[in-house]
Amino acid sequence: MTEQEARRMRRARFEGLAHLVVEPLHRYLLRRTSADLVDDVLSETMLVLWRRIDDVPGLGTDAVPDPADVLPWCYGVARGCLANARRADGRRLRLVERLIRTHEDAPAADADHSELHAALDALGALDREVVRLWAWEGLAPRQIAEATGLTANAVSIRLHRAKARLAAHLERKDAGRPGHKRDEGRSSQ
């Protein structure tokens, strides 16, 4: 048997199985979860059945399998896929709750970072990405090199130069020395 014939037989077995189990699995899932989740879980179930077509008990080389032989195992697959979907929903909900709590705990008046963002925007796209990976994501130059496709040495050089340009840009915005008034220390006479 050639590989192409084997694929055709596998596909025919799956199509026969799918034709037999799609409706019962759809009804099974409708009784157990919300209507908006049914199609996603059913799709995931069918994907697992495709991947594990050789493991389905009662599914021989016959084009039409016996429902009593294959449905119980397929229900078990659907049950597992539904459990996975529920766990994923739970994780998403916990994340949203955590983000809401974090947002509520944040200080009411956020600091104005518009000058910093303007200074970042003045950098080239690659330099801006290198700085953000370093400052916001906490990556080392070696890790940034892996993420950007540069060498670690090139990242270090770009980072050094970008930080210098940022400092110069931010210093121009605030020409006076921090904490000092312009006329401080001069006599008024």
Side-chain angles (χ1 to χ4, degrees):
M1 178 183 327
T2 67
E3 187 178 324
Q4 192 173 24
E5 289 173 341
R7 277 192 297 228
R8 264 188 288 206
M9 285 182 58
R10 179 181 173 90
R11 182 180 174 134
R13 288 175 65 209
F14 178 75
E15 287 174 354
L17 176 66
H19 181 71
L20 182 70
V21 301
V22 165
E23 286 304 317
L25 290 176
H26 190 264
R27 287 191 306 269
Y28 171 86
L29 293 168
L30 272 174
R31 289 188 289 268
R32 285 163 177 76
T33 190
S34 62
D36 58 333
L37 192 58
V38 168
D39 289 336
D40 291 338
V41 176
L42 182 59
S43 297
E44 185 65 29
T45 302
M46 296 310 292
L47 180 63
V48 171
L49 291 177
W50 169 254
R51 288 182 186 150
R52 298 193 55 200
I53 192 77
D54 296 328
D55 298 336
V56 179
L59 185 64
T61 56
D62 301 335
V64 180
D66 183 14
D69 293 337
V70 296
L71 268 174
W73 193 82
C74 294
Y75 285 140
V77 171
R79 185 174 178 265
C81 291
L82 181 58
N84 289 342
R86 286 181 176 154
R87 281 191 296 273
D89 274 349
R91 285 190 300 269
R92 277 190 292 275
L93 287 174
R94 285 190 300 276
L95 175 62
V96 168
E97 289 170 357
R98 210 169 50 227
L99 289 172
I100 289 171
R101 278 195 310 271
T102 302
H103 181 68
E104 290 171 351
D105 295 343
D110 289 334
D112 179 27
H113 297 293
S114 58
E115 290 180 12
L116 176 60
H117 289 289
L120 277 171
D121 288 341
L123 296 175
L126 187 56
D127 288 340
R128 188 170 44 248
E129 180 65 11
V130 166
V131 169
R132 287 177 176 164
L133 288 170
W134 172 76
W136 294 351
E137 308 306 328
L139 297 181
R142 175 183 48 80
Q143 295 166 316
I144 296 170
E146 189 174 325
T148 59
L150 299 170
T151 65
N153 190 41
V155 168
S156 295
I157 292 169
R158 280 184 174 276
L159 187 59
H160 176 74
R161 290 177 180 167
K163 288 191 305 187
R165 284 193 303 269
L166 282 174
H169 189 273
L170 292 173
E171 196 172 286
R172 275 184 272 157
K173 295 286 186 185
D174 186 24
R177 295 186 322 202
H180 295 280
K181 296 179 183 172
R182 290 188 181 263
D183 62 347
E184 187 176 89
R186 295 186 185 163
S187 66
S188 58
Q189 297 173 351

